[in-house]
Amino acid sequence: MASSKAFMWLLFFFFVCSLNIFAVLATEFNVGGDKRWVVSTVKDDQLYNQWAGKNRFKVNDTLRFEYKKDSVLVVTKEEYEKCKSSHPIFFSNNGKSIYKLEQPGLYYFISGVSGHCERGLKMIIKVLEPAAPPQSANHTSTPTVAGANVASVINGVVLVMGFILGLFM
């Protein structure tokens, strides 16, 4: 009986830890914060670029666009500069659009409603390259816990604690 209880605890904590790993890997951003994806009352073509500049985007992060009577397009740099696209890379006009950032680099977003892009409803997102461990001149050194992924360390501690608790319950 005690061993089956310990096994169930172990499975439970393994499941919880695996969920935590996925949560650490990606973030969902609400574009524009509280302002959402709307035309500014003041002509400010840098409003959304300023918002984007305050965030750090990684591969697999997602962007949530919320808007009314508008749309969001992913376009090329040239189309971004012209505020016009006849063949966007991505188009959505359902009021709540999700876009996944699948690779590093620059992404160009504009509104598809005539005149909205020119009034500032556009944005450039820079997705960072995945972090690579720093190279050292001394290749014979061994990695330390300080250089380990913090989420992995926390997950390991929780898993061990869950196993120990399961043995005594």
Side-chain angles (χ1 to χ4, degrees), residues 84-146:
K84 186 180 277 189
S85 175
S86 54
H87 300 290
I89 298 164
F90 171 85
F91 169 81
S92 181
N93 64 352
N94 65 7
K96 290 187 179 181
S97 304
I98 304 288
Y99 187 80
K100 185 175 180 179
L101 303 168
E102 295 181 340
Q103 60 188 19
L106 296 175
Y107 289 79
Y108 300 90
F109 297 88
I110 64 172
S111 167
V113 173
S114 180
H116 286 194
C117 177
E118 291 84 357
R119 290 175 43 204
L121 200 49
K122 60 183 182 175
M123 171 178 68
I124 302 171
I125 295 285
K126 180 178 182 179
V127 177
L128 302 173
E129 295 281 341
Q135 293 285 338
S136 77
N138 181 2
H139 294 290
T140 59
S141 64
T142 58
T144 63
V145 174

Short mmCIF file of all heavy atoms in Angstrom, two decimals, residues 84-146:
data_model
loop_
_atom_site.label_atom_id
_atom_site.label_comp_id
_atom_site.label_asym_id
_atom_site.label_seq_id
_atom_site.Cartn_x
_atom_site.Cartn_y
_atom_site.Cartn_z
N LYS A 84 1.04 48.75 -46.50
CA LYS A 84 0.11 48.12 -47.43
C LYS A 84 0.65 46.74 -47.81
O LYS A 84 1.85 46.57 -48.02
CB LYS A 84 -0.02 48.97 -48.68
CG LYS A 84 -1.07 48.46 -49.67
CD LYS A 84 -1.15 49.35 -50.88
CE LYS A 84 -2.06 50.50 -50.53
NZ LYS A 84 -2.41 51.33 -51.69
N SER A 85 -0.27 45.76 -47.89
CA SER A 85 0.13 44.42 -48.30
C SER A 85 -1.02 43.76 -49.05
O SER A 85 -2.15 43.74 -48.58
CB SER A 85 0.49 43.56 -47.09
OG SER A 85 0.76 42.23 -47.49
N SER A 86 -0.70 43.21 -50.21
CA SER A 86 -1.72 42.47 -50.96
C SER A 86 -1.61 40.97 -50.70
O SER A 86 -2.57 40.23 -50.94
CB SER A 86 -1.60 42.77 -52.45
OG SER A 86 -0.29 42.52 -52.90
N HIS A 87 -0.46 40.52 -50.21
CA HIS A 87 -0.25 39.10 -49.91
C HIS A 87 0.49 38.95 -48.58
O HIS A 87 1.68 38.61 -48.55
CB HIS A 87 0.55 38.42 -51.03
CG HIS A 87 -0.12 38.48 -52.36
ND1 HIS A 87 -1.27 37.76 -52.64
CD2 HIS A 87 0.16 39.18 -53.48
CE1 HIS A 87 -1.64 38.02 -53.87
NE2 HIS A 87 -0.80 38.89 -54.40
N PRO A 88 -0.20 39.20 -47.44
CA PRO A 88 0.48 39.10 -46.15
C PRO A 88 0.93 37.68 -45.82
O PRO A 88 0.35 36.71 -46.32
CB PRO A 88 -0.58 39.58 -45.16
CG PRO A 88 -1.88 39.34 -45.83
CD PRO A 88 -1.62 39.50 -47.30
N ILE A 89 1.93 37.59 -44.99
CA ILE A 89 2.43 36.30 -44.51
C ILE A 89 1.39 35.67 -43.58
O ILE A 89 1.21 34.46 -43.55
CB ILE A 89 3.77 36.51 -43.78
CG1 ILE A 89 4.81 37.09 -44.75
CG2 ILE A 89 4.27 35.22 -43.14
CD1 ILE A 89 6.03 37.70 -44.08
N PHE A 90 0.68 36.52 -42.82
CA PHE A 90 -0.35 36.10 -41.88
C PHE A 90 -1.43 37.17 -41.87
O PHE A 90 -1.13 38.37 -41.94
CB PHE A 90 0.26 35.96 -40.48
CG PHE A 90 -0.74 35.73 -39.38
CD1 PHE A 90 -1.21 34.46 -39.09
CD2 PHE A 90 -1.22 36.80 -38.61
CE1 PHE A 90 -2.13 34.25 -38.06
CE2 PHE A 90 -2.13 36.60 -37.58
CZ PHE A 90 -2.59 35.33 -37.31
N PHE A 91 -2.69 36.75 -41.80
CA PHE A 91 -3.82 37.69 -41.73
C PHE A 91 -4.86 37.13 -40.76
O PHE A 91 -5.16 35.94 -40.78
CB PHE A 91 -4.48 37.86 -43.10
CG PHE A 91 -5.79 38.59 -43.04
CD1 PHE A 91 -5.83 39.97 -42.96
CD2 PHE A 91 -6.99 37.89 -43.02
CE1 PHE A 91 -7.03 40.65 -42.88
CE2 PHE A 91 -8.20 38.57 -42.95
CZ PHE A 91 -8.22 39.95 -42.87
N SER A 92 -5.39 38.01 -39.91
CA SER A 92 -6.48 37.62 -39.01
C SER A 92 -7.32 38.85 -38.71
O SER A 92 -6.79 39.94 -38.53
CB SER A 92 -5.93 37.01 -37.73
OG SER A 92 -7.00 36.61 -36.89
N ASN A 93 -8.63 38.63 -38.64
CA ASN A 93 -9.53 39.73 -38.30
C ASN A 93 -10.65 39.29 -37.37
O ASN A 93 -11.75 39.80 -37.43
CB ASN A 93 -10.11 40.37 -39.57
CG ASN A 93 -10.98 39.41 -40.35
OD1 ASN A 93 -11.06 38.22 -40.05
ND2 ASN A 93 -11.63 39.93 -41.38
N ASN A 94 -10.37 38.30 -36.52
CA ASN A 94 -11.40 37.74 -35.65
C ASN A 94 -11.53 38.45 -34.29
O ASN A 94 -12.31 38.03 -33.45
CB ASN A 94 -11.17 36.24 -35.44
CG ASN A 94 -9.88 35.94 -34.71
OD1 ASN A 94 -9.20 36.84 -34.21
ND2 ASN A 94 -9.52 34.67 -34.64
N GLY A 95 -10.76 39.50 -34.05
CA GLY A 95 -10.86 40.24 -32.79
C GLY A 95 -9.93 39.77 -31.70
O GLY A 95 -9.60 40.53 -30.79
N LYS A 96 -9.49 38.52 -31.76
CA LYS A 96 -8.53 37.97 -30.79
C LYS A 96 -7.60 37.04 -31.56
O LYS A 96 -7.87 35.85 -31.68
CB LYS A 96 -9.24 37.22 -29.67
CG LYS A 96 -10.01 38.11 -28.74
CD LYS A 96 -10.56 37.35 -27.56
CE LYS A 96 -11.30 38.31 -26.66
NZ LYS A 96 -11.84 37.67 -25.48
N SER A 97 -6.52 37.59 -32.04
CA SER A 97 -5.59 36.83 -32.87
C SER A 97 -4.36 36.45 -32.07
O SER A 97 -3.83 37.25 -31.31
CB SER A 97 -5.17 37.67 -34.08
OG SER A 97 -6.30 38.10 -34.80
N ILE A 98 -3.91 35.23 -32.27
CA ILE A 98 -2.69 34.73 -31.64
C ILE A 98 -1.68 34.46 -32.76
O ILE A 98 -2.00 33.81 -33.75
CB ILE A 98 -2.94 33.41 -30.87
CG1 ILE A 98 -4.04 33.58 -29.83
CG2 ILE A 98 -1.64 32.91 -30.23
CD1 ILE A 98 -3.68 34.41 -28.64
N TYR A 99 -0.45 34.95 -32.55
CA TYR A 99 0.60 34.70 -33.53
C TYR A 99 1.81 34.14 -32.80
O TYR A 99 2.31 34.75 -31.84
CB TYR A 99 0.98 35.97 -34.30
CG TYR A 99 1.95 35.69 -35.41
CD1 TYR A 99 1.50 35.19 -36.63
CD2 TYR A 99 3.32 35.88 -35.24
CE1 TYR A 99 2.39 34.90 -37.65
CE2 TYR A 99 4.20 35.59 -36.25
CZ TYR A 99 3.74 35.10 -37.45
OH TYR A 99 4.63 34.80 -38.46
N LYS A 100 2.30 32.98 -33.25
CA LYS A 100 3.45 32.33 -32.63
C LYS A 100 4.73 32.76 -33.32
O LYS A 100 4.84 32.70 -34.55
CB LYS A 100 3.30 30.81 -32.69
CG LYS A 100 4.40 30.07 -31.96
CD LYS A 100 4.13 28.58 -31.98
CE LYS A 100 5.21 27.83 -31.24
NZ LYS A 100 4.95 26.38 -31.24
N LEU A 101 5.70 33.17 -32.54
CA LEU A 101 7.02 33.59 -33.05
C LEU A 101 7.88 32.33 -33.16
O LEU A 101 8.40 31.83 -32.17
CB LEU A 101 7.64 34.61 -32.10
CG LEU A 101 6.77 35.86 -31.87
CD1 LEU A 101 7.30 36.69 -30.72
CD2 LEU A 101 6.67 36.68 -33.14
N GLU A 102 8.02 31.82 -34.37
CA GLU A 102 8.61 30.50 -34.57
C GLU A 102 10.11 30.49 -34.84
O GLU A 102 10.72 29.43 -34.80
CB GLU A 102 7.88 29.76 -35.69
CG GLU A 102 6.44 29.48 -35.31
CD GLU A 102 5.66 28.73 -36.38
OE1 GLU A 102 6.09 28.74 -37.56
OE2 GLU A 102 4.64 28.15 -36.03
N GLN A 103 10.69 31.65 -35.12
CA GLN A 103 12.13 31.68 -35.38
C GLN A 103 12.69 33.05 -35.01
O GLN A 103 11.95 34.02 -34.93
CB GLN A 103 12.42 31.36 -36.85
CG GLN A 103 11.79 32.31 -37.83
CD GLN A 103 11.94 31.82 -39.26
OE1 GLN A 103 12.21 30.65 -39.51
NE2 GLN A 103 11.79 32.71 -40.20
N PRO A 104 13.99 33.13 -34.77
CA PRO A 104 14.59 34.42 -34.44
C PRO A 104 14.56 35.36 -35.64
O PRO A 104 14.50 34.92 -36.78
CB PRO A 104 16.03 34.07 -34.04
CG PRO A 104 16.27 32.69 -34.52
CD PRO A 104 14.96 32.04 -34.76
N GLY A 105 14.59 36.65 -35.36
CA GLY A 105 14.62 37.64 -36.43
C GLY A 105 13.58 38.72 -36.23
O GLY A 105 12.97 38.84 -35.16
N LEU A 106 13.36 39.51 -37.27
CA LEU A 106 12.41 40.61 -37.22
C LEU A 106 11.07 40.20 -37.81
O LEU A 106 11.01 39.53 -38.84
CB LEU A 106 12.95 41.82 -37.98
CG LEU A 106 14.23 42.44 -37.42
CD1 LEU A 106 14.73 43.55 -38.34
CD2 LEU A 106 14.01 42.96 -36.01
N TYR A 107 10.00 40.61 -37.13
CA TYR A 107 8.63 40.40 -37.60
C TYR A 107 7.99 41.77 -37.75
O TYR A 107 8.10 42.62 -36.86
CB TYR A 107 7.83 39.58 -36.58
CG TYR A 107 8.24 38.13 -36.49
CD1 TYR A 107 9.38 37.74 -35.78
CD2 TYR A 107 7.48 37.13 -37.09
CE1 TYR A 107 9.75 36.41 -35.68
CE2 TYR A 107 7.84 35.79 -37.00
CZ TYR A 107 8.97 35.44 -36.28
OH TYR A 107 9.34 34.12 -36.20
N TYR A 108 7.26 41.96 -38.84
CA TYR A 108 6.62 43.23 -39.13
C TYR A 108 5.10 43.05 -39.11
O TYR A 108 4.56 42.23 -39.84
CB TYR A 108 7.07 43.75 -40.51
CG TYR A 108 8.56 43.96 -40.59
CD1 TYR A 108 9.41 42.93 -41.00
CD2 TYR A 108 9.12 45.18 -40.24
CE1 TYR A 108 10.78 43.12 -41.06
CE2 TYR A 108 10.49 45.38 -40.31
CZ TYR A 108 11.32 44.34 -40.71
OH TYR A 108 12.68 44.54 -40.77
N PHE A 109 4.43 43.83 -38.25
CA PHE A 109 2.98 43.75 -38.09
C PHE A 109 2.35 45.08 -38.50
O PHE A 109 2.87 46.15 -38.15
CB PHE A 109 2.61 43.45 -36.64
CG PHE A 109 3.11 42.12 -36.15
CD1 PHE A 109 4.38 42.00 -35.61
CD2 PHE A 109 2.30 41.00 -36.24
CE1 PHE A 109 4.84 40.78 -35.16
CE2 PHE A 109 2.77 39.77 -35.79
CZ PHE A 109 4.03 39.65 -35.26
N ILE A 110 1.21 45.00 -39.20
CA ILE A 110 0.45 46.21 -39.53
C ILE A 110 -1.04 45.89 -39.40
O ILE A 110 -1.45 44.73 -39.41
CB ILE A 110 0.74 46.75 -40.95
CG1 ILE A 110 0.31 45.75 -42.03
CG2 ILE A 110 2.20 47.13 -41.11
CD1 ILE A 110 0.38 46.29 -43.46
N SER A 111 -1.84 46.94 -39.30
CA SER A 111 -3.29 46.81 -39.38
C SER A 111 -3.65 46.69 -40.85
O SER A 111 -3.05 47.34 -41.70
CB SER A 111 -3.97 48.03 -38.78
OG SER A 111 -5.35 48.04 -39.12
N GLY A 112 -4.66 45.89 -41.14
CA GLY A 112 -5.12 45.76 -42.51
C GLY A 112 -6.23 46.73 -42.87
O GLY A 112 -6.67 46.77 -44.01
N VAL A 113 -6.68 47.52 -41.90
CA VAL A 113 -7.75 48.49 -42.17
C VAL A 113 -7.12 49.76 -42.75
O VAL A 113 -6.15 50.29 -42.19
CB VAL A 113 -8.55 48.80 -40.88
CG1 VAL A 113 -9.54 49.93 -41.11
CG2 VAL A 113 -9.27 47.54 -40.40
N SER A 114 -7.69 50.24 -43.83
CA SER A 114 -7.17 51.41 -44.52
C SER A 114 -7.01 52.60 -43.58
O SER A 114 -7.93 52.97 -42.85
CB SER A 114 -8.11 51.78 -45.67
OG SER A 114 -7.63 52.90 -46.35
N GLY A 115 -5.80 53.17 -43.57
CA GLY A 115 -5.51 54.35 -42.77
C GLY A 115 -5.02 54.07 -41.36
O GLY A 115 -4.39 54.92 -40.74
N HIS A 116 -5.26 52.89 -40.83
CA HIS A 116 -4.85 52.59 -39.45
C HIS A 116 -3.34 52.47 -39.30
O HIS A 116 -2.78 52.95 -38.32
CB HIS A 116 -5.55 51.34 -38.94
CG HIS A 116 -7.00 51.55 -38.63
ND1 HIS A 116 -7.73 50.65 -37.91
CD2 HIS A 116 -7.85 52.56 -38.95
CE1 HIS A 116 -8.97 51.09 -37.79
NE2 HIS A 116 -9.07 52.26 -38.43
N CYS A 117 -2.69 51.83 -40.24
CA CYS A 117 -1.24 51.69 -40.18
C CYS A 117 -0.58 53.07 -40.23
O CYS A 117 0.33 53.36 -39.45
CB CYS A 117 -0.74 50.81 -41.33
SG CYS A 117 1.06 50.63 -41.40
N GLU A 118 -1.05 53.92 -41.12
CA GLU A 118 -0.49 55.27 -41.25
C GLU A 118 -0.68 56.08 -39.96
O GLU A 118 0.09 56.99 -39.67
CB GLU A 118 -1.16 56.01 -42.42
CG GLU A 118 -0.81 55.47 -43.78
CD GLU A 118 -1.66 54.28 -44.22
OE1 GLU A 118 -2.52 53.81 -43.42
OE2 GLU A 118 -1.48 53.79 -45.34
N ARG A 119 -1.69 55.73 -39.18
CA ARG A 119 -1.95 56.43 -37.92
C ARG A 119 -1.26 55.75 -36.74
O ARG A 119 -1.54 56.08 -35.59
CB ARG A 119 -3.46 56.53 -37.68
CG ARG A 119 -4.08 57.49 -38.69
CD ARG A 119 -5.59 57.59 -38.64
NE ARG A 119 -6.18 57.64 -37.33
CZ ARG A 119 -7.44 57.26 -37.08
NH1 ARG A 119 -8.20 56.81 -38.06
NH2 ARG A 119 -7.92 57.33 -35.85
N GLY A 120 -0.36 54.80 -37.01
CA GLY A 120 0.47 54.22 -35.95
C GLY A 120 0.17 52.79 -35.56
O GLY A 120 0.82 52.25 -34.68
N LEU A 121 -0.80 52.15 -36.19
CA LEU A 121 -1.13 50.78 -35.83
C LEU A 121 -0.24 49.82 -36.61
O LEU A 121 -0.63 49.16 -37.58
CB LEU A 121 -2.61 50.50 -36.09
CG LEU A 121 -3.22 49.31 -35.34
CD1 LEU A 121 -2.89 49.34 -33.86
CD2 LEU A 121 -4.72 49.27 -35.54
N LYS A 122 1.04 49.80 -36.16
CA LYS A 122 2.06 48.94 -36.78
C LYS A 122 3.15 48.70 -35.74
O LYS A 122 3.28 49.46 -34.76
CB LYS A 122 2.64 49.59 -38.03
CG LYS A 122 3.31 50.93 -37.79
CD LYS A 122 3.78 51.52 -39.12
CE LYS A 122 4.49 52.83 -38.92
NZ LYS A 122 5.03 53.32 -40.19
N MET A 123 3.93 47.64 -35.96
CA MET A 123 4.91 47.27 -34.95
C MET A 123 5.96 46.34 -35.55
O MET A 123 5.65 45.51 -36.40
CB MET A 123 4.17 46.57 -33.81
CG MET A 123 5.02 45.93 -32.76
SD MET A 123 4.03 45.18 -31.44
CE MET A 123 3.25 43.81 -32.30
N ILE A 124 7.19 46.48 -35.05
CA ILE A 124 8.28 45.57 -35.39
C ILE A 124 8.66 44.82 -34.11
O ILE A 124 8.88 45.43 -33.07
CB ILE A 124 9.51 46.32 -35.93
CG1 ILE A 124 9.15 47.15 -37.16
CG2 ILE A 124 10.64 45.34 -36.23
CD1 ILE A 124 10.26 48.09 -37.61
N ILE A 125 8.75 43.51 -34.23
CA ILE A 125 9.15 42.65 -33.10
C ILE A 125 10.48 42.00 -33.46
O ILE A 125 10.64 41.47 -34.55
CB ILE A 125 8.11 41.53 -32.85
CG1 ILE A 125 6.78 42.10 -32.40
CG2 ILE A 125 8.64 40.49 -31.85
CD1 ILE A 125 6.74 42.59 -30.99
N LYS A 126 11.40 42.04 -32.51
CA LYS A 126 12.68 41.34 -32.69
C LYS A 126 12.68 40.12 -31.79
O LYS A 126 12.59 40.25 -30.56
CB LYS A 126 13.87 42.23 -32.36
CG LYS A 126 15.19 41.51 -32.55
CD LYS A 126 16.38 42.38 -32.29
CE LYS A 126 17.66 41.58 -32.55
NZ LYS A 126 18.85 42.38 -32.33
N VAL A 127 12.79 38.94 -32.39
CA VAL A 127 12.86 37.69 -31.64
C VAL A 127 14.33 37.33 -31.49
O VAL A 127 15.07 37.24 -32.48
CB VAL A 127 12.09 36.56 -32.35
CG1 VAL A 127 12.23 35.25 -31.59
CG2 VAL A 127 10.62 36.95 -32.51
N LEU A 128 14.73 37.14 -30.25
CA LEU A 128 16.13 36.88 -29.94
C LEU A 128 16.55 35.48 -30.35
O LEU A 128 15.74 34.55 -30.36
CB LEU A 128 16.37 37.07 -28.44
CG LEU A 128 16.01 38.44 -27.87
CD1 LEU A 128 16.13 38.44 -26.36
CD2 LEU A 128 16.89 39.51 -28.49
N GLU A 129 17.82 35.35 -30.67
CA GLU A 129 18.41 34.04 -30.93
C GLU A 129 18.35 33.23 -29.63
O GLU A 129 18.49 33.79 -28.55
CB GLU A 129 19.88 34.19 -31.35
CG GLU A 129 20.09 34.88 -32.67
CD GLU A 129 19.84 33.99 -33.86
OE1 GLU A 129 19.85 32.75 -33.71
OE2 GLU A 129 19.63 34.53 -34.95
N PRO A 130 18.17 31.90 -29.73
CA PRO A 130 18.22 31.09 -28.50
C PRO A 130 19.56 31.26 -27.81
O PRO A 130 20.59 31.36 -28.47
CB PRO A 130 18.04 29.66 -29.01
CG PRO A 130 17.41 29.80 -30.36
CD PRO A 130 17.89 31.12 -30.91
N ALA A 131 19.52 31.33 -26.50
CA ALA A 131 20.74 31.52 -25.73
C ALA A 131 21.63 30.29 -25.85
O ALA A 131 21.18 29.17 -25.67
CB ALA A 131 20.41 31.78 -24.27
N ALA A 132 22.88 30.53 -26.17
CA ALA A 132 23.86 29.45 -26.24
C ALA A 132 24.75 29.59 -25.01
O ALA A 132 25.05 30.69 -24.57
CB ALA A 132 24.69 29.58 -27.51
N PRO A 133 25.18 28.46 -24.45
CA PRO A 133 26.07 28.56 -23.30
C PRO A 133 27.37 29.26 -23.71
O PRO A 133 27.86 29.06 -24.82
CB PRO A 133 26.33 27.11 -22.90
CG PRO A 133 25.91 26.28 -24.06
CD PRO A 133 24.94 27.09 -24.86
N PRO A 134 27.89 30.12 -22.85
CA PRO A 134 29.11 30.84 -23.21
C PRO A 134 30.29 29.90 -23.39
O PRO A 134 30.44 28.94 -22.65
CB PRO A 134 29.33 31.79 -22.02
CG PRO A 134 28.50 31.26 -20.92
CD PRO A 134 27.41 30.45 -21.52
N GLN A 135 31.11 30.18 -24.40
CA GLN A 135 32.31 29.39 -24.65
C GLN A 135 33.44 29.95 -23.79
O GLN A 135 33.61 31.15 -23.69
CB GLN A 135 32.71 29.48 -26.12
CG GLN A 135 31.72 28.84 -27.06
CD GLN A 135 31.80 27.32 -27.01
OE1 GLN A 135 32.81 26.77 -26.61
NE2 GLN A 135 30.74 26.67 -27.42
N SER A 136 34.18 29.07 -23.17
CA SER A 136 35.34 29.54 -22.40
C SER A 136 36.61 29.09 -23.09
O SER A 136 36.61 28.15 -23.87
CB SER A 136 35.27 28.98 -20.97
OG SER A 136 35.68 27.64 -20.95
N ALA A 137 37.69 29.77 -22.78
CA ALA A 137 38.98 29.41 -23.37
C ALA A 137 39.44 28.07 -22.84
O ALA A 137 40.15 27.33 -23.50
CB ALA A 137 40.01 30.49 -23.05
N ASN A 138 39.07 27.72 -21.60
CA ASN A 138 39.46 26.47 -20.98
C ASN A 138 38.34 25.45 -21.21
O ASN A 138 37.38 25.41 -20.48
CB ASN A 138 39.71 26.70 -19.48
CG ASN A 138 40.14 25.43 -18.78
OD1 ASN A 138 40.31 24.38 -19.40
ND2 ASN A 138 40.32 25.53 -17.47
N HIS A 139 38.47 24.59 -22.20
CA HIS A 139 37.42 23.64 -22.56
C HIS A 139 37.39 22.43 -21.64
O HIS A 139 36.52 21.60 -21.77
CB HIS A 139 37.60 23.18 -24.01
CG HIS A 139 37.39 24.30 -24.98
ND1 HIS A 139 36.17 24.86 -25.21
CD2 HIS A 139 38.27 24.97 -25.77
CE1 HIS A 139 36.28 25.82 -26.10
NE2 HIS A 139 37.55 25.91 -26.46
N THR A 140 38.33 22.30 -20.69
CA THR A 140 38.35 21.15 -19.82
C THR A 140 37.56 21.38 -18.53
O THR A 140 37.37 20.48 -17.76
CB THR A 140 39.80 20.78 -19.43
OG1 THR A 140 40.38 21.91 -18.77
CG2 THR A 140 40.61 20.41 -20.65
N SER A 141 37.06 22.60 -18.32
CA SER A 141 36.31 22.87 -17.10
C SER A 141 34.94 22.21 -17.16
O SER A 141 34.38 21.99 -18.21
CB SER A 141 36.16 24.38 -16.88
OG SER A 141 35.39 24.92 -17.92
N THR A 142 34.40 21.90 -16.00
CA THR A 142 33.07 21.28 -15.93
C THR A 142 32.05 22.34 -15.57
O THR A 142 32.36 23.29 -14.84
CB THR A 142 33.06 20.16 -14.87
OG1 THR A 142 33.44 20.72 -13.62
CG2 THR A 142 34.00 19.04 -15.24
N PRO A 143 30.82 22.19 -16.06
CA PRO A 143 29.79 23.18 -15.75
C PRO A 143 29.44 23.18 -14.27
O PRO A 143 29.54 22.15 -13.61
CB PRO A 143 28.60 22.74 -16.59
CG PRO A 143 28.91 21.41 -17.15
CD PRO A 143 30.35 21.15 -16.94
N THR A 144 29.03 24.32 -13.76
CA THR A 144 28.64 24.44 -12.35
C THR A 144 27.14 24.58 -12.26
O THR A 144 26.45 24.85 -13.25
CB THR A 144 29.30 25.67 -11.72
OG1 THR A 144 28.80 26.82 -12.40
CG2 THR A 144 30.80 25.62 -11.82
N VAL A 145 26.61 24.45 -11.05
CA VAL A 145 25.18 24.63 -10.83
C VAL A 145 24.76 26.04 -11.20
O VAL A 145 23.68 26.27 -11.72
CB VAL A 145 24.82 24.30 -9.36
CG1 VAL A 145 23.36 24.63 -9.09
CG2 VAL A 145 25.10 22.84 -9.07
N ALA A 146 25.62 27.03 -10.98
CA ALA A 146 25.28 28.42 -11.31
C ALA A 146 25.02 28.58 -12.80
O ALA A 146 24.22 29.42 -13.20
CB ALA A 146 26.41 29.35 -10.87
#
